[in-house]
Amino acid sequence: GGIITQTPKFLIGQEGQKLTLKCQQNFNHDTMYWYRQDSGKGLRLIYYSITENDLQKGDLSEGYDASREKKSSFSLTVTSAQKNEMAVFLCASSIWGGNTGQLYFGEGSKLTVL
Amino acid sequence: GQQVQQSPASLVLQEGENAELQCNFSTSLNSMQWFYQRPGGSLVSLFYNPSGTKQSGRLTSTTVIKERRSSLHISSSQTTDSGTYLCAMPPYQGGRALIFGTGTTVSVSP
């Protein structure tokens, strides 16, 4: 089995600050994802990447940057933290077969903006 | 756009009661996934690409592909079943990122 590790688990920042979340997976999966979870709104896709150095925007990409420099890692940067961005950020990965893929998640990173 | 509707939004149970959670999809589907999220925790896959009926312990998933729906049955609920249950499906027009429902929050009291 494999594991997805997100760091940090808790991130506290100041409004306007640039903040980075990191994700590592040892499944050797091709595709990695960043989702944001707000209370009562389910999961919304920010970015995903189908291979090293690839980036695909999701519905919520504005205000975020992402980087996939290695197959095993995918980072997400909040370019300018806003108070309404207090949420849980979830990293996931999947291997792709056909047009489906079972998704595996990390433990999440909780962002609080002061 | 493509939507995944879950019902009910929340559910309160007494330990030992059964429950049924529903997931409806606005477009045709060839796969879907059920997840469980414990309070403040990560998502764990319960069922992947179920068609027909599949069982895992006290959980049973029933998916009817041509009716675009799936249900998750919890039998003899326990307090450890408390959490949020989410369903998700791949996008209809390509892409690799699953589209999620908003979840059903289940609270089981002793």
Side-chain angles (χ1 to χ4, degrees):
Chain A
I3 190 168
I4 296 178
T5 304
Q6 290 186 233
T7 54
K9 194 170 173 71
F10 299 96
L11 183 58
I12 300 174
Q14 300 287 334
E15 194 172 8
Q17 194 175 357
K18 188 173 177 180
L19 303 165
T20 298
L21 306 171
K22 294 184 185 292
C23 178
Q24 296 270 348
Q25 54 98 358
N26 64 0
F27 287 100
N28 198 33
H29 283 167
D30 300 310
T31 308
M32 295 185 73
Y33 311 80
W34 277 106
Y35 284 93
R36 174 174 142 178
Q37 186 176 32
D38 295 276
S39 177
K41 291 187 178 179
L43 273 69
R44 292 182 288 172
L45 180 70
I46 306 173
Y47 269 98
Y48 72 101
S49 166
I50 63 174
T51 189
E52 189 176 320
N53 293 318
D54 174 76
L55 291 175
Q56 307 283 339
K57 291 184 178 181
D59 292 337
L60 217 60
S61 63
E62 190 170 335
Y64 301 92
D65 286 330
S67 174
R68 183 93 183 272
E69 292 177 359
K70 293 190 299 184
K71 185 177 181 180
S72 62
S73 67
F74 193 30
S75 63
L76 180 73
T77 298
V78 180
T79 55
S80 178
Q82 304 295 318
K83 278 198 182 295
N84 64 4
E85 285 186 308
M86 284 181 277
V88 175
F89 293 84
L90 291 161
C91 177
S93 72
S94 69
I95 194 165
W96 207 255
N99 63 346
T100 66
Q102 188 169 6
L103 211 57
Y104 298 86
F105 279 87
E107 290 287 317
S109 295
K110 187 170 182 179
L111 173 66
T112 302
V113 181
L114 302 176
Chain B
Q2 190 177 357
Q3 291 185 344
V4 179
Q5 301 280 359
Q6 287 192 248
S7 61
S10 61
L11 199 52
V12 177
L13 301 169
Q14 284 289 119
E15 201 166 27
E17 287 183 328
N18 299 331
E20 185 147 305
L21 285 56
Q22 299 288 342
C23 192
N24 289 282
F25 306 96
S26 63
T27 59
S28 60
L29 73 161
N30 52 19
S31 76
M32 58 84 61
Q33 199 166 353
W34 278 103
F35 294 90
Y36 165 71
Q37 184 177 34
R38 70 179 188 278
S42 180
L43 276 76
V44 174
S45 180
L46 296 174
F47 294 98
Y48 167 62
N49 203 22
S51 59
T53 298
K54 291 190 178 177
Q55 184 174 0
S56 175
R58 294 180 294 102
L59 299 178
T60 303
S61 166
T62 301
T63 300
V64 184
I65 295 288
K66 52 184 182 176
E67 293 182 12
R68 303 178 187 175
R69 62 177 175 85
S70 183
S71 63
L72 183 69
H73 184 84
I74 305 172
S75 64
S76 302
S77 60
Q78 299 179 1
T79 56
T80 51
D81 295 330
S82 296
T84 301
Y85 294 80
L86 296 113
C87 59
M89 66 179 292
Y92 180 65
Q93 292 183 327
R96 297 190 181 188
L98 295 183
I99 296 171
F100 283 81
T102 52
T104 295
T105 300
V106 173
S107 178
V108 184
S109 53

